Amino acid sequence: MPRPLHHALTYLRSTPGTHLWLLALFVTTVVMRHMDPAFTDEFLRQRSTNIHHLTQDPSRVLITSAFWIDGDNGLRGWLLYAVLYTLFHAPAERWLGTARWLLVVLTAHVGATYLSEGILAWAIRHGIAPPESVNTLDVGVSYALAGIVAVLAYRIPTPWRYLYLFGVLTFYALPLVTGRTFTDVGHFTAVLIGLACHPVTRSPKPRRPRTPRTPRTPPSAPSRTPAP
């Protein structure tokens, strides 16, 4: 096997979750590209983690919403996520391992979704947001990405870690101040969740090998001197 191909396969095997997810996003992006534009919005809305679906069928929409990219950029949008996944998801999965990486992904995706939609529900209840916002369109992978971007701070040595943290918090806090949409709340929440996942980043302490126990042998019986 040629060496470049061997290195590529080794790299893919080290981050299976990241690249299988990217492959699924590529397939769904191609499918959406061939849809009737008039049908696309309703199709995505049925997979949206909006208030209506979270109260009716939360498990289904929490899973399906993470396999569609919202927007009109098509394959260009997927290419952007391919770059972001390579820069953030792949290093995080290789560092944490697939199981712990997936735990951070799910925690950020689910936690940020529920908090942002909960704030939107509060805004509807108090007349700040219109009632039809219960059916708003909310799909995509950006909450999980924000959580992974944040948790990678623990991979960076100090003092560069603080510079990275400042950049991440500034990037996600500015839209929260200027836009104040429920998705801005979700992104910043996902960052905080990622930072709260610090215990997940700690490698388990290796177990000390047991010292083999020396088998106990019964004392030998004293030799008997034959009688004269």
Short mmCIF file of all heavy atoms in Angstrom, two decimals, residues 125-162:
data_model
loop_
_atom_site.label_atom_id
_atom_site.label_comp_id
_atom_site.label_asym_id
_atom_site.label_seq_id
_atom_site.Cartn_x
_atom_site.Cartn_y
_atom_site.Cartn_z
N ARG A 125 -44.34 33.26 25.96
CA ARG A 125 -45.31 33.35 27.06
C ARG A 125 -45.47 34.80 27.55
O ARG A 125 -46.56 35.20 27.99
CB ARG A 125 -44.85 32.46 28.22
CG ARG A 125 -45.90 32.24 29.29
CD ARG A 125 -45.41 31.28 30.36
NE ARG A 125 -44.99 30.01 29.79
CZ ARG A 125 -43.75 29.54 29.84
NH1 ARG A 125 -42.79 30.25 30.44
NH2 ARG A 125 -43.44 28.38 29.30
N HIS A 126 -44.40 35.60 27.45
CA HIS A 126 -44.46 36.97 27.94
C HIS A 126 -44.67 37.98 26.81
O HIS A 126 -44.49 39.19 27.01
CB HIS A 126 -43.18 37.31 28.70
CG HIS A 126 -43.08 36.60 30.02
ND1 HIS A 126 -42.66 35.29 30.15
CD2 HIS A 126 -43.38 37.02 31.30
CE1 HIS A 126 -42.68 34.94 31.41
NE2 HIS A 126 -43.11 35.96 32.13
N GLY A 127 -45.03 37.49 25.63
CA GLY A 127 -45.35 38.39 24.54
C GLY A 127 -44.16 39.03 23.86
O GLY A 127 -44.32 39.96 23.05
N ILE A 128 -42.95 38.56 24.15
CA ILE A 128 -41.75 39.13 23.52
C ILE A 128 -41.54 38.55 22.13
O ILE A 128 -41.07 39.24 21.22
CB ILE A 128 -40.52 38.88 24.42
CG1 ILE A 128 -40.74 39.50 25.80
CG2 ILE A 128 -39.26 39.44 23.79
CD1 ILE A 128 -39.68 39.16 26.81
N ALA A 129 -41.87 37.27 21.95
CA ALA A 129 -41.76 36.61 20.65
C ALA A 129 -43.16 36.20 20.19
O ALA A 129 -44.04 35.93 21.02
CB ALA A 129 -40.86 35.38 20.75
N PRO A 130 -43.39 36.16 18.88
CA PRO A 130 -44.72 35.80 18.38
C PRO A 130 -45.05 34.34 18.65
O PRO A 130 -44.15 33.49 18.70
CB PRO A 130 -44.63 36.07 16.87
CG PRO A 130 -43.17 36.01 16.56
CD PRO A 130 -42.46 36.50 17.79
N PRO A 131 -46.34 34.01 18.81
CA PRO A 131 -46.73 32.62 19.12
C PRO A 131 -46.30 31.61 18.07
O PRO A 131 -46.03 30.45 18.40
CB PRO A 131 -48.25 32.70 19.22
CG PRO A 131 -48.54 34.12 19.52
CD PRO A 131 -47.49 34.91 18.84
N GLU A 132 -46.23 32.02 16.79
CA GLU A 132 -45.85 31.07 15.74
C GLU A 132 -44.38 30.63 15.84
O GLU A 132 -43.95 29.74 15.11
CB GLU A 132 -46.11 31.66 14.36
CG GLU A 132 -45.44 33.00 14.09
CD GLU A 132 -46.33 34.18 14.45
OE1 GLU A 132 -47.26 34.00 15.25
OE2 GLU A 132 -46.07 35.28 13.92
N SER A 133 -43.63 31.23 16.77
CA SER A 133 -42.23 30.82 16.96
C SER A 133 -42.10 29.41 17.50
O SER A 133 -41.00 28.85 17.52
CB SER A 133 -41.52 31.80 17.90
OG SER A 133 -41.48 33.09 17.35
N VAL A 134 -43.20 28.81 17.96
CA VAL A 134 -43.13 27.42 18.44
C VAL A 134 -42.79 26.49 17.29
O VAL A 134 -42.32 25.36 17.53
CB VAL A 134 -44.46 26.98 19.09
CG1 VAL A 134 -44.74 27.80 20.34
CG2 VAL A 134 -45.62 27.08 18.10
N ASN A 135 -42.99 26.91 16.05
CA ASN A 135 -42.69 26.09 14.88
C ASN A 135 -41.48 26.62 14.11
O ASN A 135 -41.34 26.35 12.92
CB ASN A 135 -43.90 26.03 13.95
CG ASN A 135 -45.04 25.25 14.56
OD1 ASN A 135 -44.85 24.14 15.06
ND2 ASN A 135 -46.23 25.83 14.55
N THR A 136 -40.61 27.34 14.78
CA THR A 136 -39.45 27.91 14.10
C THR A 136 -38.53 26.82 13.57
O THR A 136 -38.53 25.68 14.05
CB THR A 136 -38.68 28.83 15.07
OG1 THR A 136 -37.68 29.54 14.33
CG2 THR A 136 -37.99 28.01 16.16
N LEU A 137 -37.74 27.17 12.57
CA LEU A 137 -36.81 26.22 11.95
C LEU A 137 -35.51 26.21 12.74
O LEU A 137 -34.85 27.25 12.89
CB LEU A 137 -36.55 26.60 10.50
CG LEU A 137 -35.62 25.69 9.69
CD1 LEU A 137 -36.17 24.27 9.66
CD2 LEU A 137 -35.45 26.22 8.28
N ASP A 138 -35.11 25.05 13.26
CA ASP A 138 -33.89 24.95 14.06
C ASP A 138 -33.26 23.59 13.81
O ASP A 138 -33.54 22.61 14.51
CB ASP A 138 -34.21 25.14 15.55
CG ASP A 138 -32.96 25.17 16.41
OD1 ASP A 138 -31.87 25.41 15.85
OD2 ASP A 138 -33.06 24.96 17.62
N VAL A 139 -32.42 23.50 12.79
CA VAL A 139 -31.67 22.29 12.51
C VAL A 139 -30.20 22.67 12.35
O VAL A 139 -29.86 23.84 12.22
CB VAL A 139 -32.15 21.57 11.22
CG1 VAL A 139 -33.58 21.10 11.36
CG2 VAL A 139 -31.99 22.48 10.00
N GLY A 140 -29.33 21.67 12.37
CA GLY A 140 -27.93 21.95 12.14
C GLY A 140 -27.02 21.35 13.20
O GLY A 140 -27.48 20.74 14.17
N VAL A 141 -25.74 21.56 12.98
CA VAL A 141 -24.71 20.92 13.80
C VAL A 141 -23.89 21.94 14.58
O VAL A 141 -22.88 21.59 15.19
CB VAL A 141 -23.77 20.10 12.89
CG1 VAL A 141 -24.55 18.99 12.20
CG2 VAL A 141 -23.09 20.99 11.85
N SER A 142 -24.31 23.20 14.59
CA SER A 142 -23.46 24.26 15.13
C SER A 142 -23.37 24.23 16.65
O SER A 142 -22.35 24.65 17.21
CB SER A 142 -23.96 25.63 14.66
OG SER A 142 -25.32 25.81 15.02
N TYR A 143 -24.40 23.75 17.35
CA TYR A 143 -24.32 23.69 18.81
C TYR A 143 -23.25 22.66 19.23
O TYR A 143 -22.44 22.93 20.12
CB TYR A 143 -25.66 23.30 19.43
CG TYR A 143 -26.75 24.35 19.30
CD1 TYR A 143 -28.07 24.04 19.59
CD2 TYR A 143 -26.46 25.65 18.90
CE1 TYR A 143 -29.08 25.00 19.48
CE2 TYR A 143 -27.45 26.61 18.79
CZ TYR A 143 -28.77 26.28 19.08
OH TYR A 143 -29.75 27.21 18.96
N ALA A 144 -23.27 21.52 18.60
CA ALA A 144 -22.26 20.50 18.92
C ALA A 144 -20.86 21.00 18.58
O ALA A 144 -19.91 20.76 19.33
CB ALA A 144 -22.57 19.22 18.15
N LEU A 145 -20.74 21.71 17.46
CA LEU A 145 -19.43 22.25 17.07
C LEU A 145 -18.94 23.26 18.09
O LEU A 145 -17.75 23.24 18.47
CB LEU A 145 -19.54 22.88 15.68
CG LEU A 145 -18.26 23.54 15.14
CD1 LEU A 145 -17.15 22.50 15.00
CD2 LEU A 145 -18.53 24.23 13.82
N ALA A 146 -19.83 24.13 18.57
CA ALA A 146 -19.43 25.14 19.56
C ALA A 146 -18.95 24.47 20.85
O ALA A 146 -17.97 24.92 21.47
CB ALA A 146 -20.61 26.07 19.85
N GLY A 147 -19.61 23.39 21.26
CA GLY A 147 -19.17 22.68 22.46
C GLY A 147 -17.79 22.07 22.29
O GLY A 147 -16.96 22.11 23.21
N ILE A 148 -17.52 21.52 21.11
CA ILE A 148 -16.21 20.92 20.85
C ILE A 148 -15.13 21.99 20.76
O ILE A 148 -14.01 21.81 21.25
CB ILE A 148 -16.27 20.07 19.56
CG1 ILE A 148 -17.10 18.81 19.80
CG2 ILE A 148 -14.88 19.73 19.07
CD1 ILE A 148 -16.49 17.85 20.82
N VAL A 149 -15.45 23.11 20.11
CA VAL A 149 -14.49 24.22 20.04
C VAL A 149 -14.08 24.64 21.45
O VAL A 149 -12.90 24.90 21.72
CB VAL A 149 -15.10 25.41 19.27
CG1 VAL A 149 -14.25 26.66 19.43
CG2 VAL A 149 -15.25 25.07 17.79
N ALA A 150 -15.04 24.68 22.36
CA ALA A 150 -14.74 25.10 23.73
C ALA A 150 -13.93 24.07 24.49
O ALA A 150 -12.95 24.41 25.17
CB ALA A 150 -16.05 25.39 24.47
N VAL A 151 -14.30 22.80 24.38
CA VAL A 151 -13.60 21.78 25.17
C VAL A 151 -12.16 21.62 24.72
O VAL A 151 -11.29 21.19 25.50
CB VAL A 151 -14.36 20.43 25.11
CG1 VAL A 151 -14.04 19.67 23.83
CG2 VAL A 151 -14.05 19.57 26.33
N LEU A 152 -11.84 21.98 23.48
CA LEU A 152 -10.46 21.89 22.99
C LEU A 152 -9.52 22.85 23.72
O LEU A 152 -8.30 22.71 23.62
CB LEU A 152 -10.41 22.15 21.49
CG LEU A 152 -10.60 20.95 20.57
CD1 LEU A 152 -10.65 21.39 19.12
CD2 LEU A 152 -9.51 19.92 20.78
N ALA A 153 -10.08 23.82 24.44
CA ALA A 153 -9.23 24.74 25.20
C ALA A 153 -8.35 23.98 26.18
O ALA A 153 -7.21 24.39 26.45
CB ALA A 153 -10.10 25.75 25.93
N TYR A 154 -8.86 22.87 26.72
CA TYR A 154 -8.10 22.10 27.69
C TYR A 154 -6.98 21.30 27.05
O TYR A 154 -6.15 20.74 27.78
CB TYR A 154 -9.05 21.17 28.46
CG TYR A 154 -10.13 21.91 29.18
CD1 TYR A 154 -11.47 21.74 28.85
CD2 TYR A 154 -9.82 22.82 30.19
CE1 TYR A 154 -12.48 22.43 29.51
CE2 TYR A 154 -10.81 23.52 30.86
CZ TYR A 154 -12.14 23.33 30.51
OH TYR A 154 -13.12 24.03 31.17
N ARG A 155 -6.95 21.27 25.74
CA ARG A 155 -5.88 20.60 25.02
C ARG A 155 -4.69 21.52 24.78
O ARG A 155 -3.58 21.07 24.52
CB ARG A 155 -6.43 20.09 23.67
CG ARG A 155 -5.43 19.36 22.79
CD ARG A 155 -5.00 18.07 23.41
NE ARG A 155 -4.24 17.23 22.49
CZ ARG A 155 -3.52 16.18 22.85
NH1 ARG A 155 -3.49 15.82 24.13
NH2 ARG A 155 -2.87 15.47 21.97
N ILE A 156 -4.92 22.83 24.89
CA ILE A 156 -3.91 23.83 24.57
C ILE A 156 -3.14 24.20 25.84
O ILE A 156 -3.74 24.49 26.88
CB ILE A 156 -4.58 25.09 23.97
CG1 ILE A 156 -5.35 24.70 22.70
CG2 ILE A 156 -3.55 26.17 23.66
CD1 ILE A 156 -6.17 25.82 22.13
N PRO A 157 -1.82 24.18 25.80
CA PRO A 157 -1.05 24.52 27.00
C PRO A 157 -1.15 26.01 27.33
O PRO A 157 -1.37 26.85 26.46
CB PRO A 157 0.39 24.13 26.61
CG PRO A 157 0.41 24.21 25.11
CD PRO A 157 -0.96 23.82 24.66
N THR A 158 -1.01 26.32 28.61
CA THR A 158 -0.96 27.73 29.02
C THR A 158 0.39 28.30 28.61
O THR A 158 1.38 27.56 28.57
CB THR A 158 -1.16 27.83 30.54
OG1 THR A 158 -0.20 26.97 31.17
CG2 THR A 158 -2.54 27.39 30.95
N PRO A 159 0.47 29.60 28.33
CA PRO A 159 -0.57 30.64 28.44
C PRO A 159 -1.45 30.76 27.20
O PRO A 159 -2.37 31.58 27.18
CB PRO A 159 0.26 31.91 28.63
CG PRO A 159 1.48 31.64 27.82
CD PRO A 159 1.78 30.17 27.97
N TRP A 160 -1.18 29.95 26.15
CA TRP A 160 -1.96 30.08 24.91
C TRP A 160 -3.42 29.69 25.12
O TRP A 160 -4.29 30.13 24.38
CB TRP A 160 -1.32 29.22 23.82
CG TRP A 160 0.13 29.53 23.60
CD1 TRP A 160 1.19 28.75 23.92
CD2 TRP A 160 0.66 30.75 23.06
NE1 TRP A 160 2.36 29.38 23.62
CE2 TRP A 160 2.07 30.62 23.09
CE3 TRP A 160 0.10 31.93 22.59
CZ2 TRP A 160 2.91 31.63 22.63
CZ3 TRP A 160 0.94 32.93 22.13
CH2 TRP A 160 2.31 32.78 22.16
N ARG A 161 -3.68 28.87 26.12
CA ARG A 161 -5.05 28.46 26.41
C ARG A 161 -5.94 29.67 26.69
O ARG A 161 -7.07 29.73 26.22
CB ARG A 161 -5.09 27.51 27.60
CG ARG A 161 -6.48 27.13 28.05
CD ARG A 161 -6.44 26.26 29.30
NE ARG A 161 -5.69 25.03 29.04
CZ ARG A 161 -5.37 24.16 29.99
NH1 ARG A 161 -5.72 24.40 31.25
NH2 ARG A 161 -4.69 23.07 29.70
N TYR A 162 -5.41 30.65 27.44
CA TYR A 162 -6.22 31.80 27.81
C TYR A 162 -6.50 32.70 26.60
O TYR A 162 -7.58 33.28 26.47
CB TYR A 162 -5.53 32.59 28.92
CG TYR A 162 -5.23 31.73 30.12
CD1 TYR A 162 -3.92 31.46 30.50
CD2 TYR A 162 -6.26 31.16 30.87
CE1 TYR A 162 -3.64 30.64 31.59
CE2 TYR A 162 -6.00 30.36 31.96
CZ TYR A 162 -4.68 30.10 32.32
OH TYR A 162 -4.42 29.27 33.38
#
